[in-house]
Amino acid sequence: MWMGELISMWKAWANEGLSDYEPVVVVLFTLVTCVITYVVAGFLCLLAHHHHHNHHGLKGPLTAIFITTISLIPGVRAYIQQQKGKVVDKLQSSVKSGRENWQTELPRVGLGIGVIERLELEKSKDVQWRGRCSGTVYIDGSESDGHFSLINEAYSMFAHTNPLHLDVFPSITRFEGEVVAMTASFLGSREKASGGQVCGNMSSGGTESILLAVKSSRDYMKAKKGILNPE
């Protein structure tokens, strides 16, 4: 009984206090208060997460708060989703159009020497990249002269080898070991401070090399400095 009376008293007090304001002002004030509360609560949660994972700097949390806040503006979230949809549709359409006339089943009859003609035809559709691309291919020149010719000849000599079989292909084992040793020397493997602990392995490309470097750094920091939650 007393609870109902308390609620009635509170309603009367609130109505009397807000009677001097327009309804639209009350509604806007409520919305703004909710947004501010949401932002502050999100900021505190991000700070707690930030502290728990030993992060440095507030750039990440502040950026996340900014993006979350502007997404609350009417129309902004819908616009972002619309732009994302356009990008996805464009990527999907380009992939589908690029797969027209693809051969998706093994031919019943082998192509024989005709496969070379097929390869040449498909290669002719590639972009003329020499001297025009950055970060794609790092060697310029004619494929029949100079450095290109040397690389093609070297690759052809070892195209049918498997470095997993060390006893069968000791030449490949030596080449990989020498490349690792040369790289290690750049990192101070010959210095006394290294203790002879610089090592490495061959990778199949730039992306894999970056992943291995990040993993090595993570494992080293975990073992030497006790960092369990890296950035």
Side-chain angles (χ1 to χ4, degrees):
M1 188 68 179
W2 63 270
M3 181 62 70
E5 294 179 355
L6 182 62
I7 294 175
S8 298
M9 291 176 58
W10 183 86
K11 288 173 61 178
W13 174 81
N15 289 330
E16 182 180 357
L18 297 174
S19 61
D20 295 334
Y21 299 95
E22 294 289 337
V24 66
V25 175
V26 177
V27 173
L28 289 176
F29 178 79
T30 304
L31 291 175
V32 171
T33 302
C34 291
V35 170
I36 293 175
T37 303
Y38 178 83
V39 172
V40 172
F43 180 71
L44 294 177
C45 290
L46 286 172
L47 283 181
H49 182 270
H50 168 82
H51 177 73
H52 176 71
H53 291 278
N54 297 319
H55 289 174
H56 302 286
L58 295 176
K59 182 178 180 180
L62 292 177
T63 302
I65 291 173
F66 174 75
I67 295 176
T68 303
T69 303
I70 63 173
S71 298
L72 297 175
I73 301 175
V76 173
R77 184 183 296 274
Y79 176 78
I80 294 175
Q81 295 300 325
Q82 181 183 15
Q83 295 303 313
K84 286 183 178 180
K86 289 182 179 179
V87 173
V88 172
D89 292 341
K90 183 177 180 180
L91 290 174
Q92 291 179 344
S93 62
S94 63
V95 171
K96 291 179 180 178
S97 61
R99 292 184 178 181
E100 293 180 358
N101 301 322
W102 274 28
Q103 184 169 324
T104 57
E105 296 181 357
L106 287 173
R108 294 183 179 276
V109 180
L111 299 179
I113 193 65
V115 71
I116 300 299
E117 297 178 358
R118 171 74 180 277
L119 293 175
E120 291 176 345
L121 174 62
E122 294 300 327
K123 185 176 181 179
S124 66
K125 301 176 184 178
D126 291 343
V127 176
Q128 297 299 319
W129 54 268
R130 291 179 181 80
R132 302 179 182 179
C133 294
S134 174
T136 304
V137 181
Y138 299 96
I139 302 174
D140 197 3
S142 172
E143 293 188 5
S144 59
D145 299 321
H147 197 56
F148 257 118
S149 178
L150 175 62
I151 291 177
N152 290 337
E153 183 177 356
Y155 268 112
S156 65
M157 292 173 63
F158 298 93
H160 302 285
T161 59
N162 188 339
L164 292 178
H165 298 278
L166 310 182
D167 55 336
V168 181
F169 304 105
S171 58
I172 298 297
T173 304
R174 173 178 175 173
F175 296 153
E176 289 192 356
E178 288 179 345
V179 171
V180 171
M182 293 176 191
T183 306
S185 67
F186 284 118
L187 302 176
S189 63
R190 297 181 180 276
E191 299 177 4
K192 293 183 179 180
S194 69
Q197 297 299 312
V198 180
C199 58
N201 64 285
M202 291 285 289
S203 61
S204 59
T207 301
E208 183 185 1
S209 299
I210 294 173
L211 292 174
L212 290 174
V214 173
K215 180 183 183 301
S216 299
S217 177
R218 183 200 65 180
D219 294 347
Y220 175 84
M221 293 300 177
K222 179 180 179 180
K224 298 296 184 179
K225 299 187 177 182
I227 298 177
L228 302 179
N229 296 295
E231 294 185 13

